């Protein structure tokens, strides 16, 4: 007599381990990634095939766009020393609260006299269009020169290193404007600096 065949049951796969791995990977990428910080004046950088990365520390960046100039200091431990030097130059006193706010602010672009008012604003309000009109850079009032000089001295005192400089210019910015910034570098004997560009493929 023939034996009856048993019907095979549907197989099942335990996905618990896979879910654990997926969440671990997700947690890793979230904790190690760096969010892009809002800029006071976003610019569209020119394209380039150069893949050299900017230093992550001890860096000062001059951003140029719409004939306005903005200044960024990468290291928080440098910002306070830089502010003290520029404040002394222009005989301006900042409160402890304003100094703490400056330590947390990456980039800015206002006249030194308007900086206290800017520091009182919330982070989201500072980067609104029209709030920051750029750092003065004319021959009669070249505050950009003073910020750059103060940052270089602060880097030597705090880190015992030479400050690295980068220029981030808009692709549509006029040549005379960029030349003014580069000439300022030359006045301070800065012959090596980074030019920030966007990456493009080698398709030419």
């Amino acid at each position: 007599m023939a034996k009856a065949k048993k019907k095979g049951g549907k197989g099942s796969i335990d996905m618990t381990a896979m879910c654990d791995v997926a969440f671990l990977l997700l947690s890793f990428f979230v904790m190690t990634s760096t969010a892009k910080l809002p800029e006071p004046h976003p610019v569209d950088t020119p394209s380039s095939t150069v893949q050299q990365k900017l230093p992550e520390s001890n860096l000062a960046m001059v951003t140029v766009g719409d004939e306005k100039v903005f200044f960024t200091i990468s290291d928080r431990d440098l910002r306070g020393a830089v502010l003290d030097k520029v404040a002394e130059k222009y005989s301006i006193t900042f409160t402890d609260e304003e100094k703490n706010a400056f330590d947390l602010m990456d980039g800015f672009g206002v006249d030194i006299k308007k900086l206290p008012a800017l520091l009182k604003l919330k982070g989201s309000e500072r980067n609104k269009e029209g709030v920051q009109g750029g750092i003065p850079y004319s021959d009669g009032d070249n505050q950009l020169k003073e910020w750059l000089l103060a940052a270089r001295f602060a880097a030597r005192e705090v880190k015992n290193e030479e400050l690295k400089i980068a220029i981030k210019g808009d692709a549509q910015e006029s040549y005379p404007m960029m030349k003014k910034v580069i000439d300022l570098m030359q006045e301070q004997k800065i012959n090596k600096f980074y030019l920030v560009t966007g990456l493009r493929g080698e398709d030419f």
Side-chain angles (χ1 to χ4, degrees), residues 107-123:
F108 63 94
V110 293
D111 188 304
I112 184 68
K113 297 171 186 174
K114 297 179 180 179
L115 186 56
L118 181 69
L119 294 172
K120 287 181 172 63
L121 297 176
K122 294 180 180 179

Side-chain angles (χ1 to χ4, degrees), residues 56-195:
E56 295 183 359
S57 62
N58 198 32
L59 175 73
M61 183 183 297
V62 179
T63 302
V64 185
D66 297 328
E67 296 190 353
K68 299 175 184 177
V69 179
F70 299 81
F71 195 62
T72 302
I73 305 167
S74 64
D75 296 19
R76 289 185 181 181
D77 57 348
L78 282 181
R79 294 172 192 168
V82 175
L83 182 63
D84 288 340
K85 291 181 181 298
V86 177
E88 182 180 357
K89 170 71 178 181
Y90 290 95
S91 301
I92 297 176
T93 302
F94 290 91
T95 65
D96 291 339
E97 185 178 353
E98 290 169 345
K99 289 180 179 180
N100 291 335
F102 186 81
D103 288 345
L104 298 174
M105 186 169 62
D106 291 285
F108 63 94
V110 293
D111 188 304
I112 184 68
K113 297 171 186 174
K114 297 179 180 179
L115 186 56
L118 181 69
L119 294 172
K120 287 181 172 63
L121 297 176
K122 294 180 180 179
S124 57
E125 296 175 340
R126 292 174 191 156
N127 295 328
K128 288 183 179 179
E129 188 174 355
V131 174
Q132 301 190 47
I135 299 173
Y137 56 87
S138 63
D139 293 335
D141 185 22
N142 197 336
Q143 294 183 20
L144 176 62
K145 173 184 176 181
E146 300 302 331
W147 281 109
L148 190 57
L149 198 60
R152 296 179 67 199
F153 278 119
R156 291 173 188 168
E157 292 175 1
V158 176
K159 295 181 173 293
N160 198 27
E161 296 179 19
E162 283 294 327
L163 183 71
K164 301 176 183 70
I165 311 293
I167 301 176
K168 183 179 182 180
D170 192 280
Q172 304 302 319
E173 191 59 65
S174 63
Y175 171 74
M177 181 63 202
M178 296 301 298
K179 187 176 183 299
K180 285 182 181 180
V181 176
I182 294 175
D183 286 345
L184 173 61
M185 305 286 182
Q186 294 296 300
E187 287 177 14
Q188 297 192 19
K189 308 298 182 183
I190 303 173
N191 297 313
K192 183 179 180 181
F193 49 85
Y194 297 87
L195 289 174

